[in-house]
Amino acid sequence: MGALRDFKALFTRHGTGVGIFVVVAITLWVFVLIVLPQLAMVDMSFSHNLPPADQGGPRDVYTLSNYGYFVQGNDGSFNSLHVTILVKTVVASVIVTFLDLILCYPIAYVLAHGASKSTARLMMIGLIVPFWVNEVLRAFAFRILFGATGLVNGLGLSLGLWDQPVDFIREDVALYAGLTYAYILLMIFPIYNAVEALDRNQIEAARDMGASWWRVHWRIVIPMAKPGIASGTTMVFMLTTGALAAPQILGGPSNLWFTQLVYQWFNDAGNWPRGSAYAVILVAVSILFTLLMMRVFKVGIGAIGR
């Protein structure tokens, strides 16, 4: 009912032409570019990997073998490699999401209530301008930064923090740093939008009554920021689990991201049904994480989408 009222208000406020354009654009975007491809991928995930001549024939029937392979493999034994890769990807994505939250919450608060308008604009520019550079180039920049002869090792050696270059690539330090930086804006802006609506007088009243800063944030700011935190953590987690360029460039030789498995099934093995099944598994994990964040922060899907 709420959505229907919003559409009626859209037609009333902006006219029939604009209303029809917006409805058609949203329909094309949601159904043609998102829903239909996802449904096609789900349908393909239940298919056999058949040559074109056999597709549509008697052998072209639905099967659960692609999902079964993820759990058991071809020989029927537990497919520990792929399950472990998925678990490691999820755990790493949670860590990156947590790091982004710890870094971005103070920045978002300062932007909303701790800085003057001119300083906030300069901080915004400083945050946005680096993202004009392509994601792949930023990943290579982090690889150079954390390389054996990079700036981080150079400073560590010159300051005597370690005696020989540290392999930050193999230890996945560069990967975590690169992914944390890659999606930092997607955490800052939702929290900023939520915290900006907070009345400054509430914070000043709490301070006048003797509340410490941590108590002000815990009892006043964070409850107001919950929708932004839920939105930011959801977006950062989903994009981190779905990242491909950064794990390929910054990941160590023993760290395989789950999206790389999906890429290998589609492009290297040419097994689109199995690649679709793995992609569906990844989408399901992202949806479960979104539902978990909604439950943890006690917010609805509407609050996350604001």
Side-chain angles (χ1 to χ4, degrees):
M1 293 297 294
L4 182 59
R5 287 196 300 268
D6 292 340
F7 277 115
K8 287 182 178 179
L10 174 66
F11 279 87
T12 303
R13 188 179 302 115
H14 299 286
T16 304
V18 174
I20 293 175
F21 173 79
V22 172
V23 171
V24 171
I26 292 176
T27 302
L28 288 174
W29 176 264
V30 174
F31 290 98
V32 177
L33 299 179
I34 299 177
V35 175
L36 292 181
Q38 294 294 331
L39 290 177
M41 185 176 65
V42 172
D43 180 74
M44 183 177 292
S45 69
F46 292 103
S47 302
H48 289 282
N49 186 33
L50 301 174
D54 292 334
Q55 294 178 6
R59 296 178 58 195
D60 193 0
V61 295
Y62 286 119
T63 178
L64 293 173
S65 60
N66 296 311
Y67 294 94
Y69 182 87
F70 171 73
V71 179
Q72 292 186 335
N74 285 328
D75 57 359
S77 61
F78 180 62
N79 193 353
S80 59
L81 176 61
H82 290 182
V83 174
T84 301
I85 290 173
L86 176 62
V87 172
K88 288 176 61 178
T89 300
V90 171
V91 171
S93 299
V94 170
I95 293 173
V96 170
T97 303
F98 180 76
L99 291 175
D100 266 334
L101 177 60
I102 296 300
L103 289 172
C104 296
Y105 175 81
I107 297 174
Y109 178 79
V110 170
L111 284 172
H113 293 287
S116 63
K117 291 184 178 180
S118 58
T119 302
R121 283 195 293 267
L122 289 175
M123 291 177 65
M124 286 284 192
I125 294 173
L127 289 169
I128 294 173
V129 168
F131 285 84
W132 291 355
V133 180
N134 183 272
E135 179 184 359
V136 176
L137 297 180
R138 294 200 307 269
F140 276 111
F142 269 87
R143 188 174 182 89
I144 295 173
L145 186 67
F146 285 95
T149 58
L151 177 62
V152 176
N153 265 311
L155 286 175
L157 292 172
S158 61
L159 295 175
L161 299 178
W162 48 81
D163 299 328
Q164 57 185 4
V166 178
D167 193 348
F168 291 109
I169 305 298
R170 183 177 293 275
E171 298 298 328
D172 294 324
V173 175
L175 176 60
Y176 281 87
L179 288 172
T180 301
Y181 176 75
Y183 307 117
I184 193 171
L185 293 183
L186 297 177
M187 184 70 76
I188 289 178
F189 287 134
I191 299 176
Y192 168 79
N193 290 332
V195 174
E196 190 184 26
L198 177 64
D199 187 356
R200 177 80 180 172
N201 292 327
Q202 292 181 326
I203 300 175
E204 294 178 354
R207 292 291 293 165
D208 291 341
M209 295 178 67
S212 59
W213 269 116
W214 74 267
R215 192 168 182 82
V216 169
H217 282 272
W218 183 255
R219 299 299 297 270
I220 298 176
V221 182
I222 292 179
M224 189 70 180
K226 284 198 300 183
I229 294 174
S231 178
T233 52
T234 298
M235 288 191 294
V236 171
F237 176 84
M238 288 191 296
L239 289 175
T240 303
T241 55
L244 180 62
Q248 285 185 328
I249 297 171
L250 298 173
S254 60
N255 190 354
L256 191 63
W257 217 251
F258 196 74
T259 48
Q260 292 173 278
L261 289 179
V262 177
Y263 179 88
Q264 290 174 4
W265 284 123
F266 273 105
N267 293 277
D268 297 339
N271 194 334
W272 284 44
R274 189 156 292 168
S276 298
Y278 276 52
V280 170
I281 292 172
L282 190 60
V283 171
V285 169
S286 298
I287 293 175
L288 288 175
F289 183 84
T290 302
L291 296 176
L292 176 62
M293 290 299 98
M294 290 169 57
R295 187 174 182 85
V296 168
F297 293 105
K298 298 179 181 179
V299 297
I301 190 67
I304 293 180
R306 288 175 187 172

